[in-house]
Amino acid sequence: MNSIVKKGIICSMIGIMQLGIGTAVIEASPRHHENKDYEERYEHHKDRDHRIQEERERHEREMKRRHHEEEWQWHERQQREKEHHEEVMRTIGGLALLYLITNS
């Protein structure tokens, strides 16, 4: 009976050691870190998509003619708004590109 208990204790210790080594390997594996990188990228894309959506909505509101505007005023404001919109979209795209470069 004494040898069965000893063998049981030894097998339990071996199992605990294997579990500890397995945990250490999983923590050190690059796949584990890729998940964190993926989550970071997902959050960044989600934020960028939100900013793009807000800019598109703002642009759409600004492009509509206001009831007190003359035709020529409306066309001038549309031109300024188009230039502003293009600049903002380039900035958002540039920030996304900068993020990709710095995190690769």
Side-chain angles (χ1 to χ4, degrees):
M1 194 68 156
N2 198 9
S3 74
I4 294 176
V5 173
K6 286 181 184 179
K7 287 180 184 178
I9 291 173
I10 291 173
C11 288
S12 297
M13 289 178 65
I14 290 172
I16 290 171
M17 288 173 52
Q18 286 179 342
L19 182 67
I21 291 171
T23 304
V25 168
I26 289 172
E27 282 296 317
S29 72
R31 185 176 187 99
H32 182 69
H33 295 294
E34 285 176 8
N35 287 340
K36 289 180 182 177
D37 292 340
Y38 174 76
E39 290 171 4
E40 257 183 48
R41 284 194 305 261
Y42 175 74
E43 287 298 319
H44 176 73
H45 289 298
K46 189 175 165 184
D47 182 45
R48 188 191 77 215
D49 292 343
H50 180 69
R51 285 190 291 180
I52 289 173
Q53 181 64 30
E54 283 180 347
E55 171 57 23
R56 286 183 178 156
E57 290 171 358
R58 187 200 65 78
H59 177 68
E60 187 176 328
R61 279 193 316 270
E62 291 297 318
M63 291 300 283
K64 292 180 181 174
R65 186 173 179 184
R66 298 185 178 125
H67 68 280
H68 66 281
E69 271 184 324
E70 296 290 331
E71 185 83 17
W72 64 273
Q73 291 173 326
W74 178 49
H75 288 298
E76 283 182 4
R77 190 170 55 78
Q78 276 186 324
Q79 185 62 33
R80 286 191 310 269
E81 177 53 35
K82 284 179 187 176
E83 292 170 1
H84 177 357
H85 178 70
E86 289 172 3
E87 181 181 334
V88 169
M89 295 305 279
R90 278 193 306 268
T91 303
I92 292 171
L95 290 174
L97 184 61
L98 179 65
Y99 177 80
L100 290 174
I101 290 171
T102 57
N103 287 332
S104 61

